[in-house]
Amino acid sequence: MTKSNERKLTIARAMAEATAQEMRIDPKVFVMGEDIGPLGGVYGNTRGLIEEFGAERIRDTPISETAFIGAAVGAAQDGMRPVVELMFVDFFGVCFDAIYNLMAKNTYFSGGKFKVPMVLMTSTGGGYSDGGQHSQCLYGTFAHLPGMKVVAPSNAYDAKGLMTAAMRDDSPVVYMYHKGLQGMGWLGTEAGATVHVPEESYTLEIGKAKVVREGKDVSIVSVGMGVHNALKAAKTLEAQGVSAEVVDLVSLVPLDRETIRASVAKTGRLIVVDEDYMSYGLSGEIVASVTEHDISVLKSAPKRVAFPDVPIPFARVMEQYCLPNPDKIVAAWDEMKAA
Amino acid sequence: MSPTREDQHWMYRNMVTSRRFEEAIAKIYFEGKSPAFNMANGPIPGEMHLSDGQEPVAVGVCAHLTPEDVVTATHRPHHQAIAKGVDLVKMAAEIFGKATGLSGGRGGHMHIFDADVNFACSGIIAQGMGPAVGAALSRKMQGKSGVAVAFVGEGAVNQGGWHEAMNLAAVWNLPFICVIEDNAWGISVSKETSSAVANNTDRAAAYGIPGKRIEGNDPYAIHEAAGEAIARARAGNGPSLIEVETYRLAGHFMGDAEGYRPEGEKDALFKKDPIPKMRARMIGDGMASEEELDRIEAEATARVDAAIKFARESDDAAPEDALTRVFAA
């Protein structure tokens, strides 16, 4: 919990601070991407870096994702520690070969002789009517393919620790930050993501989930923006006398199945909240992680609150109809209870 | 060949219509977004990329096109959509996310689709290249008339997909024209710092096709170069590449502080606004009278006002319609 006299940062500033601190002690770390130089990143997560480190280490790129992400793979294998930005995760389509056929596989192909210590930062999420090529999460897409660690912070404290951990990791890490949590007012922003962040450098263990609210009647499991929706739903449920536990996955790969299973074993009920598409994705994986382990812990069938299997519509009423929200989570509990 | 009197009137009319449309959108866009600017709010939410200043490219090229010809455009599509003859009323409604919009609100401003005039656009850089080349291929395979034009920004030439599509169009000798709108900026990154050559039509040599660069955002010169390239494509003589120096009078998107622009650049660009320039030239050349151009402007304003009124007064999309049209019916 943040005390009033403690320093609060947005996720954007926490990411920039972590990067700057690491760059001061590790000359191998450098950043590449579109508009990450003087502009400081479209989402603010490289702000101030070019002023301190200059254009040699903070490199604005042409609109050439295949080239600079592929180049990051080569530089990483040659001893550098690149941090690259894919401005919107939706843009993965133009450069996925470099990501999943090279970045993700070269460690394995080389029998571990080549390391690919790079961070791929990318923005996710909708809710501000940016249409179907600028609003996706694609958590499941990235987490599905072996060889990449995948993290997605819900708040600035985790964001800083994950960023430092990602830069120090010898494996490629996909760092998925939600636009609605960045603290950029022009996108609207979730206040709960801006929290106390220590000045000093620290790491958060990749692959470790957090119980961010304890409860005994139902486990609500989510990531990123979904954690905030889950916490709001938990408050509503509390007023109805229902004690909801909220699990923040923090990392998608490795997935901390132990924490999920322990929570559901305690509560007996599971609701998964995911802003990514419903089918073949994160929400199904969480349910399977529980049921294939021990289905007897469940007092009722698990529920999923996820984006329906349609491209993300532009019109606000349509998009909001599709997005997960606290009311839908409460409704899922009501259905579960009635079943 | 210089544009005819009729062409010039058409070009001016479409430039002014586009400008009035962008002015109307710009004003409405900020409704509900103050005092705190939040993109999610107001009657037009989401990102908004305006085309003010780039109108000469759209009209100089589209003056040679008919509805059967295919155009693909970018995230900054309104001027080209208007010049290609996209239904202005339904386009406005789409931008407002209304049920009456071209796509019933599913697409929005970066995804304007009008099958009646073979227009499509998309939100990711250089994406229109492949589809335009494919349309050109389809016309050739079916023995059907018509050419395909892909409009892209100068930043798009650094995408792999751009080069692949150019080569394919050339190796298959397709009726395809790539028109590069060089507004000098890819968001905050300048052409100078991101492209290895100053003149992108130098790249035409890599595909063995003609390339022509037009300086000064000149609608007359654009009209002439596009006319040659399109005639060449129609005659079955293959693709061409055109690059036009144009001016982005707006930010990359609405809300862009444009701190990356050198001091004075914006003022200098506004002094070169192509619309008053064309007006003066038409009058100077005896191609139009003041009264004629005043009337064209008034008509353009009225047309835009009607489209905006329709968009505002239309019903919102039905929320549950979000789940429809995923697959062909």
Side-chain angles (χ1 to χ4, degrees):
Chain A
M1 208 58 180
T2 304
K3 297 185 195 97
S4 59
N5 60 345
E6 288 177 322
R7 183 185 77 138
K8 285 188 185 184
L9 289 187
T10 63
I11 287 183
R13 289 180 63 95
M15 288 173 73
E17 182 171 278
T19 308
Q21 287 175 337
E22 199 63 12
M23 288 184 75
R24 281 175 208 139
I25 59 170
D26 186 350
K28 295 181 185 309
V29 176
F30 71 108
V31 186
M32 291 192 282
E34 292 154 14
D35 303 281
I36 58 99
L39 194 72
V42 171
Y43 303 107
N45 42 315
T46 56
R47 196 160 290 171
L49 297 183
I50 196 160
E51 289 79 3
E52 179 174 353
F53 301 102
E56 182 67 15
R57 292 180 75 194
I58 305 295
R59 306 180 81 96
D60 259 343
T61 62
I63 306 170
S64 307
E65 291 88 352
T66 292
F68 72 78
I69 295 173
V73 173
Q77 290 173 180
D78 197 51
M80 297 296 281
R81 289 186 168 271
V83 176
V84 295
E85 172 149 288
L86 178 63
M87 189 188 291
F88 288 78
V89 74
D90 315 66
F91 298 176
F92 83 113
V94 299
C95 55
F96 214 34
D97 196 56
I99 297 169
Y100 94 104
N101 267 328
L102 297 174
M103 183 184 90
K105 293 179 180 168
N106 279 2
T107 302
Y108 187 80
F109 286 159
S110 68
K113 291 193 176 65
F114 279 105
K115 289 175 184 161
V116 190
M118 61 182 278
V119 183
L120 177 70
M121 309 186 283
T122 189
S123 76
T124 66
Y128 64 105
S129 291
D130 215 7
Q133 290 180 340
H134 293 77
S135 302
Q136 300 173 98
C137 283
L138 303 182
Y139 297 135
T141 305
F142 282 78
H144 177 65
L145 296 159
M148 304 178 270
K149 297 186 180 179
V150 180
V151 300
S154 68
N155 64 72
Y157 177 87
D158 292 357
K160 182 173 176 184
L162 285 173
M163 191 70 205
T164 303
M167 287 183 285
R168 292 181 187 175
D169 203 298
D170 280 343
S171 295
V173 178
V174 181
Y175 188 107
M176 305 179 90
Y177 58 90
H178 193 290
K179 284 168 267 172
L181 302 177
Q182 279 297 90
M184 309 290 279
W186 54 275
L187 284 168
T189 200
E190 166 55 53
T194 299
V195 298
H196 170 59
V197 176
E199 305 257 4
E200 68 277 9
S201 187
Y202 60 93
T203 58
L204 200 67
E205 186 184 348
I206 293 174
K208 193 91 192 99
K210 286 183 174 179
V211 175
V212 291
R213 179 192 167 105
E214 299 220 9
K216 55 183 177 46
D217 297 327
V218 58
S219 300
I220 309 175
V221 176
S222 193
V223 70
M225 180 63 92
V227 173
H228 298 277
N229 284 327
L231 287 168
K232 285 169 194 163
K235 249 187 177 161
T236 304
L237 290 171
E238 184 179 31
Q240 299 171 10
V242 180
S243 164
E245 178 148 302
V246 177
V247 177
D248 181 345
L249 292 171
V250 185
S251 297
L252 304 181
V253 180
L255 179 61
D256 182 0
R257 293 185 171 86
E258 292 310 312
T259 296
I260 301 164
R261 286 169 182 159
S263 176
V264 181
K266 180 171 75 169
T267 63
R269 289 190 166 93
L270 171 63
I271 298 171
V272 186
V273 181
D274 184 12
E275 193 182 320
D276 196 4
Y277 306 116
M278 171 84 84
S279 299
Y280 299 95
L282 175 67
S283 60
E285 184 62 31
I286 302 300
V287 171
S289 295
V290 170
T291 55
E292 70 183 2
H293 177 67
D294 181 4
I295 201 165
S296 72
V297 300
L298 288 170
K299 295 176 190 157
S300 56
K303 286 273 178 194
R304 294 192 273 168
V305 178
F307 204 95
D309 297 323
V310 303
I312 297 176
F314 160 73
R316 178 165 36 219
V317 291
M318 284 180 168
E319 188 190 16
Q320 295 301 327
Y321 176 80
C322 293
L323 284 167
N325 61 38
D327 289 346
K328 289 185 185 180
I329 301 168
V330 172
W333 163 260
D334 290 341
E335 285 170 27
M336 188 178 263
K337 202 177 50 177
Chain B
M1 202 178 77
S2 250
T4 63
R5 182 184 178 95
E6 195 188 348
D7 282 339
Q8 290 186 35
H9 282 237
W10 182 91
M11 287 162 69
Y12 188 73
R13 180 182 299 280
N14 279 277
M15 281 177 46
V16 173
T17 305
S18 180
R19 182 67 62 88
R20 292 289 175 273
F21 189 74
E22 301 296 53
E23 287 166 353
I25 296 284
K27 206 166 145 214
I28 296 161
Y29 185 76
F30 281 113
E31 286 178 19
K33 292 189 180 70
S34 62
F37 179 69
N38 178 347
M39 219 174 244
N41 295 333
I44 305 175
E47 280 181 87
M48 178 54 60
H49 313 84
L50 298 180
S51 61
D52 305 55
Q54 302 188 185
E55 301 90 349
V57 192
V59 300
V61 175
C62 292
H64 302 283
L65 300 179
T66 68
E68 73 168 1
D69 294 315
V70 174
V71 163
T72 63
T74 71
H75 56 285
R76 194 181 311 284
H78 301 166
H79 55 322
Q80 287 139 358
I82 288 167
K84 187 62 173 60
V86 168
D87 187 315
L88 189 68
V89 169
K90 289 184 184 168
M91 178 166 100
E94 184 64 26
I95 292 167
F96 278 71
K98 296 299 181 77
T100 52
L102 285 165
S103 311
R106 292 174 188 78
H109 130 88
M110 283 192 274
H111 306 286
I112 301 288
F113 287 78
D114 190 345
D116 291 345
V117 294
N118 287 300
F119 182 90
C121 66
S122 60
I124 300 178
I125 302 305
Q127 262 181 336
M129 292 290 288
V133 169
L137 172 66
S138 164
R139 295 302 168 92
K140 192 176 178 186
M141 291 177 75
Q142 297 186 73
K144 278 169 46 177
S145 60
V147 302
V149 177
F151 288 100
V152 298
E154 89 290 339
V157 305
N158 298 317
Q159 274 285 320
W162 186 86
H163 296 272
E164 295 178 23
M166 289 300 296
N167 182 64
L168 202 57
V171 79
W172 289 344
N173 200 42
L174 299 176
F176 167 77
I177 300 98
C178 174
V179 179
I180 302 168
E181 293 184 285
D182 174 11
N183 68 20
W185 291 99
I187 308 187
S188 74
V189 178
S190 68
K191 182 185 186 187
E192 197 183 356
T193 57
S194 59
S195 287
V197 292
N199 181 345
N200 278 317
T201 50
D202 288 354
R203 299 175 195 253
Y207 313 107
I209 64 171
K212 184 158 178 73
R213 179 173 163 90
I214 311 297
E215 306 291 347
N217 207 19
D218 175 1
Y220 297 82
I222 297 163
H223 182 273
E224 186 179 344
E228 282 171 19
I230 291 166
R232 181 183 145 85
R234 289 199 199 287
N237 294 325
S240 303
L241 175 61
I242 295 171
E243 182 173 52
V244 180
E245 182 201 17
T246 191
Y247 313 134
R248 192 184 84 197
L249 298 179
H252 166 66
F253 61 157
M254 293 209 66
D256 180 358
E258 299 182 74
Y260 46 83
R261 294 224 199 224
E263 180 103 14
E265 179 178 286
K266 265 314 253 303
D267 292 341
L269 290 183
F270 275 108
K271 287 195 184 108
K272 295 193 281 189
D273 187 333
I275 292 181
K277 231 170 134 178
M278 184 166 183
R279 184 184 164 106
R281 176 158 171 191
M282 285 174 78
I283 290 166
D285 289 351
M287 284 289 173
S289 66
E290 298 270 5
E291 295 71 31
E292 281 176 303
L293 296 182
D294 287 349
R295 193 167 62 241
I296 284 175
E297 288 175 20
E299 285 165 2
T301 304
R303 196 174 156 225
V304 167
D305 288 349
I308 297 290
K309 183 170 188 288
F310 175 84
R312 271 203 196 269
E313 291 175 357
S314 287
D315 289 335
D316 270 334
E320 60 276 15
D321 277 356
L323 306 183
T324 63
R325 300 274 187 272
V326 178
F327 297 106

